Amino acid sequence: MSATPASLPAHWKKFLFAGLAALAVVWFFAFQGATHGDHRGPLSVILGALFWVATLIGLLMLTMITRVFDAGWAPVIRRTWELALPALPIVLLLSVVPMALIPKFRHLLWEWTNAEHLLPSGHAVGHDPILQAKSWFLNESFFLARIAYYVVFFAVLVWALRRGSFAQDTDRTAGHTHRLHAISAAGIPLAAVSLTMLAFDCLMALSYHWFSTMYGVWFFALSIRLALAFTVIATYRLSNGGWLDGILNQAHRHVLGCLMLAFTVFWAYISFSQYFLIYTANIPEETYWYNIREFDPVTGARNQWWGVSMYLIFGFFLLPFLSLLFYRTKIVAGRLLAVASIIFVGGLVDLWFNAVPRQINAAGAPEGFVVSPFLTAYLAVDVLAVLGFGALVVAVLLRAAGRHETIPVHDPRILESINYHE
Amino acid sequence: MNERNERIHGVACTFRKPSDVYHAAEKVRDAGWKQWDVHTPFPIHGMDQAMGLPRSPVPRLTLLGGVTGFLTGCLLTWYTNSADYPIVVGGKPFWSVIYPFPVLYECTILFAAFGTFFGQFIFNRLPRHHHPLFDHPQFARVSDDTFMIVLEATDPNFHVDESRNFLQSLGGQEITIVRD
């Protein structure tokens, strides 16, 4: 066993079994939905998984960014990120990979993979000129190859970043810090391209007519926001009876709070500019994506998604933004935890907003389709999926915490990090 | 006594080591001094707390500037595009919060920057072209190898002889009276 002061790591199996049980229920609903030709069941798996894929990609990017900038505050917190990172390929393997591999699910979720699928216009997907023009990218074999690439790429990157960091605990050489600096410098642009493609494939391609070149940047902004919120929540718990007890101080909270404020603004900037350009250019191919998220195509009356968009503006941007402007919010542990929780919940709402609305064929409807509603019983399955994959992430984190040092004891900057001050 | 006090800026005292000046500052803070300052050749971490300094009030003026800027942007875009000379552009409304948003947040940032910049001028009491300490023969050394605490005459605790003795008790090296 490790020298961890608390007994937290011993609980990893409980989280593993709880997570697997929750995911069994989620997968059951996915099968049930798919049998009835309903894409919403399988979508719950994608939503729950993408929530944690985004969080873990955010942690991965923060790990590499703090390496490249030699951030003095980071080492004690970064080790907790490194402990959680192996969950990234695991979550992908339990969600996106089977969804893409099994034709039944693939055809329901990614309509463009099913050439016989009929569009609201009455034409088959296979004869859609928009899809034909994109088919060099959106074809099944390239799609499956990309999904495989994400798993391999992120697994290798996580392995390389962890290996050097853990090796330093035993051999005490500073050379690892230099090598990890170089790995991170190369890893950041590669991971940026990979996470962009992953966002294209897993989220944007759910409505394949629509496209936005900002989408990867939006996903990155969301990832970092979720990762910082996760960090604040996790370090709050770990500094109250965990391995960061007596280590985490006010200045660490302050720097996390400042980063949360910065990426709240960045997320709003990216999300708004995407909306703003589409609004200004007013091209039907792009505007329909926002239209179905605002009003009924026939009557023009606001639909449920209008309320969701308003929540994103006021609950996911304005509330965290205004709270985090105040210094006290960034240093008082309870307040920072509250803001991080708001951001964590808002991240799921943002994923709902991006992934769920789609045009569903309806024979009687004037336009030939209805927009999938926000309020359905599947919201509970989505939440269960988030909790299930979350329990897996925590299980991975705790298991790793029992096998490795929980702070990088021989990192050259460890003293600077422990004594970090504003 | 009063007449003399008016011509005195304060009492200055030099220290040799950062730890000496740090602990001396804590004692000055605990004695309830408000009008005083510490001069060091480099930043000493934790000195803010040792001096008992509150957070800077400048961010309040930044917020005020930001809010003013946002409202100014609203007024500017509404008046020019909707009230004074309404004109249809791309089928968009004459005024909504969406199309002029770049103007609104640019104005927010600009005015917040004004608030910050002029705010620090106000709270630092700038511009100021001379300070009595500049005439102090030892003062140039606080940018080299000396640390200094200055107790100012404007503080209600100030009394030339007592303050001098107080600084002596803190372990000060050279104690001098600084005249205005």
Side-chain angles (χ1 to χ4, degrees):
Chain A
M1 282 303 288
S2 79
T4 314
S7 59
L8 280 178
H11 296 293
W12 74 271
K13 276 185 182 162
K14 285 183 207 163
F15 281 96
L16 177 69
F17 293 134
L20 290 177
L23 291 182
V25 177
V26 173
W27 269 97
F28 169 77
F29 282 110
F31 270 104
Q32 280 295 107
T35 319
H36 298 101
D38 182 1
H39 77 286
R40 191 62 180 82
L43 193 58
S44 288
V45 179
I46 295 289
L47 280 165
L50 260 283
F51 182 89
W52 287 101
V53 168
T55 306
L56 291 160
I57 285 180
L59 296 180
L60 179 67
M61 294 304 278
L62 285 172
T63 303
M64 293 191 291
I65 291 167
T66 53
R67 285 272 180 209
V68 162
F69 285 105
D70 284 328
W73 59 273
V76 287
I77 298 173
R78 182 167 57 217
R79 175 50 59 88
T80 301
W81 299 339
E82 288 165 344
L83 296 175
L85 281 180
L88 176 52
I90 295 173
V91 172
L92 282 173
L93 279 172
L94 291 177
S95 58
V96 178
V97 171
M99 282 296 166
L101 275 181
I102 303 169
K104 185 162 101 170
F105 292 124
R106 182 171 71 238
H107 291 168
L108 276 173
L109 281 172
W110 292 279
E111 289 169 341
W112 55 269
T113 59
N114 182 8
E116 276 91 57
H117 177 76
L118 287 178
L119 297 168
S121 59
H123 299 290
V125 160
H127 300 292
D128 185 357
I130 293 181
L131 179 61
Q132 282 164 358
K134 297 179 180 183
S135 60
W136 65 272
F137 189 81
L138 287 186
N139 63 73
E140 285 190 276
S141 41
F142 191 21
F143 175 70
L144 292 176
R146 285 198 301 273
I147 299 289
Y149 160 78
Y150 303 138
V151 179
V152 174
F153 170 77
F154 285 119
V156 169
L157 189 55
V158 165
W159 171 80
L161 287 169
R162 279 163 53 97
R163 193 181 69 133
S165 187
F166 294 151
Q168 195 168 48
D169 292 345
T170 44
D171 66 19
R172 307 180 180 204
T173 50
H176 292 296
T177 299
H178 296 297
R179 266 190 297 282
L180 288 166
H181 191 116
I183 291 172
S184 302
I188 287 173
L190 290 174
V193 173
S194 304
L195 76 89
T196 301
M197 294 296 126
L198 185 135
F200 284 179
D201 281 330
C202 295
L203 290 170
M204 201 164 86
L206 295 174
S207 9
Y208 72 91
H209 277 196
W210 185 75
F211 55 92
S212 162
T213 46
M214 286 309 263
Y215 213 69
V217 189
W218 161 79
F219 189 70
F220 168 72
L222 178 70
S223 298
I224 300 283
R225 286 191 78 185
L226 281 173
L228 289 167
F230 174 77
T231 307
V232 168
I233 295 168
T235 53
Y236 180 88
R237 173 67 186 85
L238 293 175
S239 58
N240 289 288
W243 57 78
L244 292 179
D245 210 336
I247 292 178
L248 198 82
N249 64 32
Q250 173 181 313
H252 293 126
R253 284 196 294 280
H254 184 244
V255 78
L256 290 172
C258 288
L259 282 171
M260 286 213 300
L261 174 62
F263 277 92
T264 298
V265 176
F266 184 60
W267 174 89
Y269 180 73
I270 295 307
S271 302
F272 177 74
S273 50
Q274 178 178 285
Y275 178 86
F276 185 67
L277 291 180
I278 289 173
Y279 168 89
T280 306
N282 212 7
I283 301 167
E285 205 170 279
E286 297 172 343
T287 50
Y288 88 91
W289 195 85
Y290 279 111
N291 286 345
I292 64 172
R293 281 160 176 80
E294 189 174 342
F295 52 75
D296 183 279
V298 180
T299 63
R302 284 169 184 167
N303 63 20
Q304 292 171 353
W305 294 104
W306 185 82
V308 178
S309 358
M310 288 301 115
Y311 180 83
L312 288 180
I313 296 172
F314 292 99
F316 196 35
F317 166 63
L318 207 61
L319 180 63
F321 170 69
L322 291 178
S323 322
L324 285 169
L325 281 182
F326 295 91
Y327 174 71
R328 300 276 301 162
T329 314
K330 286 175 269 197
I331 60 159
V332 178
R335 294 189 198 179
L336 196 64
L337 179 71
V339 178
S341 309
I342 291 169
I343 291 176
F344 220 44
V345 173
L348 178 61
V349 178
D350 198 18
L351 280 177
W352 273 329
F353 177 82
N354 273 274
V356 179
R358 68 161 68 182
Q359 297 160 330
I360 295 170
N361 293 344
E367 299 272 323
F369 69 88
V370 291
V371 177
S372 42
F374 169 61
L375 296 170
T376 61
Y378 277 117
L379 293 184
V381 186
D382 296 339
V383 172
L384 190 65
V386 170
L387 295 176
F389 283 112
L392 285 195
V393 173
V394 174
V396 168
L397 172 65
L398 292 182
R399 182 178 179 272
R403 283 152 199 254
H404 302 280
E405 297 287 353
T406 47
I407 61 167
V409 282
H410 296 297
D411 188 292
R413 287 174 205 282
I414 187 67
L415 280 179
E416 187 184 349
S417 179
I418 288 174
N419 297 311
Y420 185 68
H421 42 66
E422 286 166 49
Chain B
M1 196 66 202
N2 250 344
E3 282 169 27
R4 277 186 63 198
N5 259 354
E6 271 167 22
R7 290 187 289 111
I8 289 175
H9 172 75
V11 179
C13 163
T14 58
F15 294 85
R16 282 282 165 79
K17 293 194 293 185
S19 56
D20 291 349
V21 76
Y22 182 92
H23 295 304
E26 288 177 327
K27 284 175 189 141
V28 177
R29 172 197 68 195
D30 294 340
W33 285 78
K34 296 292 171 214
Q35 302 296 319
W36 63 293
D37 210 348
V38 178
H39 302 274
T40 61
F42 48 81
I44 296 175
H45 293 298
M47 186 53 94
D48 288 16
Q49 288 92 319
M51 289 179 70
L53 290 180
R55 297 258 316 157
S56 159
V58 171
R60 288 171 206 176
L61 286 184
T62 308
L63 182 65
L64 187 68
V67 172
T68 310
F70 188 82
L71 296 176
T72 307
C74 286
L75 190 68
L76 175 74
T77 51
W78 168 80
Y79 179 72
T80 53
N81 292 340
S82 181
D84 187 43
Y85 201 87
I87 189 166
V88 177
V89 180
K92 304 295 191 286
F94 288 125
W95 195 82
S96 77
V97 83
I98 300 170
Y99 82 83
F101 209 85
V103 178
L104 305 187
Y105 75 68
E106 296 292 356
C107 283
T108 308
I109 293 165
L110 180 68
F111 280 65
F114 284 158
T116 313
F117 183 73
F118 293 111
Q120 69 86 17
F121 254 70
I122 293 165
F123 290 117
N124 283 323
R125 292 173 213 156
L126 295 173
R128 175 170 191 166
H129 300 295
H130 187 69
H131 194 280
L133 278 174
F134 295 164
D135 293 333
H136 190 295
Q138 294 289 320
F139 193 64
R141 290 186 63 194
V142 301
S143 62
D144 180 18
D145 62 352
T146 300
F147 306 85
M148 184 181 278
I149 287 181
V150 181
L151 303 179
E152 291 171 17
T154 48
D155 194 285
N157 284 348
F158 189 80
H159 183 279
V160 179
D161 299 328
E162 284 175 22
S163 301
R164 201 203 305 244
N165 292 339
F166 177 53
L167 286 172
Q168 205 140 32
S169 73
L170 298 180
Q173 305 276 312
E174 278 181 67
I175 299 169
T176 38
I177 292 168
V178 184
R179 296 189 182 276
D180 255 330

